[in-house]
Amino acid sequence: MKCDRQNTMFTTPLAQALAVVLLFCHAHFSFAQSKVKAEVDTTSIKIGEQIRYKITVETDSTDLVHFPEDQTFSPLEMVEALTIDTTRNKERMTLQRIYALTQFDSGSYTIPPQRIGINEQPFLTDSFQIAVATVPVDTLTQKMYDIKPLIEVKKNYARIIKIILGVLLALLLIGGPIYWFFLRKKPLTEEEKEALLPAYDRALLELKRLENSRYLIQDEYKKYYSELTNIVRSYLEEEVHVSALESTTNQLIDKLEMLKDAGELNLEEATIEQFKKVLETADLVKFARSRPQTSIAEQDRKAVELIVVKTKEALPEPTEEELLQNEEYLKELARKKRQKRIYWAAAIFVGVLLLSGAASIAYFGFKEVKDTVLGHPTKELLESEWVSSSYGFPPVELETPQVLIRQKVEIPTEAKEKIDGTQTFVYNSQESLFTVAATATSFTEAVEPDFEKTLEQILKKYEEDGARNIITKQEEFVTKAGIQGLKVYGSGQFKVPDSDELVRGKYVILSFGGKGFQQHVLLNWLDGDEYAEKIVERILASVDVKAQV
């Protein structure tokens, strides 16, 4: 059964009775040689079922045709748009496209006219009335339950755990090398082990090493005697506590004689005399280029070894006080070494932090780094796990950083005759002074909402709460599904809760509605808060509302 556009105007009761039948008909339009028609396979579905909406275009093969795209079928939702089917007949072509539509709320809905462009010339289809029925529920055999109370959702600690793991990893990467190279007790080298030996053992070890050297084989007597005298002089300076390295031969012998006479060094006279001869031979080799026989050089080394042994025997045993002082000295020396390593490690750690901070500031900017390290309430909101949900009825769909909490709102007695019910949902951060709210109000009569009066009351409420110098602008707002509404926005000075302080802030009020209902979305945030600006931008991009009750 077909009908043209004129048949859709009902002027008699009989024609009105045929409305349901005519809804199955398609609409015909023509402009020049182009024809457009639209039809649906049914005008009655259950919740979640699909309607097949078909648009057919007959036009010249050279014409450019644009079919509807995106969610232009609201309040019905487009599930799928099939590919365009093209049939050619000489210089004419027929294009068909089928759209799958659905709705998940019961009620009566109107599919708005769809715009088809042919060579930039618009063609509009007729609207279709669709009835969406609920799925029947057997309330007699089906057990009914009360509405579940609100439960507190446990906080998601995944982001905090990631931050902690990141910090631990950074500390490991920085602290690991510092510990390995500076704080760790490293194994001693042979030189370090030798340096820790007592002076007596170290002197004998060095004399043994000199015995196995190749100085005498290579006629390097000067090096041989220089090392020989340095060994014994260093031993005497460290063990006997005389300035042996800087003294001449005679001065050193005199000092040993004085220690012997004072009873502090129990050496025989023959030992001192033998030591003097060795030193004199060494002086001749070093300064007069004398070259003694190899056997004499070896005997001098043995004589020095004997002098070291006898000097060790001649020294009085250290007192308990001296031993304690020596032990405390070694502990203090170890403590200073350990402290020095800690200072170096701390300096490197601070240096790495400063270098990393400077690089981060250069790349990300000072404010971003500061807010990341010290924390910023709206930055944390922006980077949190966002929630998409519908609020109230008719529903307002929003994506927000936190779930909006239902608020109990008392309807004034004088307004109860006009207002059937109102639902308000709010999230408010006292720390960041950021607020987002959604309201849905239904009226007792099917009248158009008075946005101007509602907005006036909202702004008046701002002033009653202490706001000053409110600047107001307004423009049209379109949701992501194409529903048109009113956007009122601006700035002003707003009062900080529980304080007399006024801060510069911004606000946005979105208003939607139809016969018998109205919906609002309200946003407040601090002026100059770039993170809040990004939050508002994302929320506004997610707004969607139901256009009918």
Side-chain angles (χ1 to χ4, degrees), residues 28 35 144 230 235 269 277 306 436 465 512:
H28 274 277
K35 295 182 180 180
M144 304 299 291
N230 282 337
Y235 169 73
E269 190 65 37
K277 289 180 180 180
L306 183 62
V436 54
D465 290 340
F512 306 93

Side-chain angles (χ1 to χ4, degrees), residues 10 15 23-24 35 41 81 122 125 135 145 203 216 336 352 354 367 385-386 423 450 499 525:
F10 305 118
L23 285 173
F24 288 92
K35 295 182 180 180
D41 62 340
T125 66
V135 178
Y145 299 93
L216 298 180
K336 288 182 177 179
V352 170
L354 291 176
K367 188 176 188 305
E385 187 175 347
W386 283 49
Q423 298 165 316
D450 188 348
S499 171
W525 68 98

Side-chain angles (χ1 to χ4, degrees), residues 228-281:
L228 179 64
T229 54
N230 282 337
I231 291 172
V232 69
R233 284 174 180 270
S234 297
Y235 169 73
L236 292 173
E237 186 157 319
E238 188 174 349
E239 196 78 355
V240 185
H241 307 295
V242 295
S243 54
L245 291 172
E246 299 176 357
S247 300
T248 63
T249 297
N250 292 330
Q251 289 173 341
L252 179 55
I253 296 301
D254 291 341
K255 291 176 181 178
L256 293 177
E257 291 283 359
M258 290 175 63
L259 289 173
K260 179 179 177 300
D261 295 339
E264 296 181 9
L265 184 64
N266 190 17
L267 274 178
E268 297 178 357
E269 190 65 37
T271 302
I272 297 175
E273 190 64 29
Q274 188 180 17
F275 183 40
K276 182 179 180 181
K277 289 180 180 180
V278 174
L279 294 177
E280 288 175 346
T281 302

Side-chain angles (χ1 to χ4, degrees), residues 446-507:
V447 295
E448 292 290 344
D450 188 348
F451 290 150
E452 295 294 334
K453 185 176 180 181
T454 304
L455 291 171
E456 182 181 341
Q457 292 175 346
I458 294 174
L459 295 175
K460 183 179 179 181
K461 177 63 174 155
Y462 280 162
E463 292 178 348
E464 290 176 354
D465 290 340
R468 298 289 182 271
N469 304 322
I470 299 177
I471 299 174
T472 300
K473 302 177 184 178
Q474 71 178 46
E475 61 184 33
E476 184 183 84
F477 182 86
V478 180
T479 69
K480 63 181 183 180
I483 305 299
Q484 292 185 348
L486 179 65
K487 175 182 178 181
V488 175
Y489 62 100
S491 61
Q493 291 178 299
F494 297 89
K495 187 178 178 182
V496 178
D498 302 324
S499 171
D500 293 331
E501 180 185 0
L502 291 176
V503 293
R504 193 73 183 170
K506 290 185 177 181
Y507 70 92

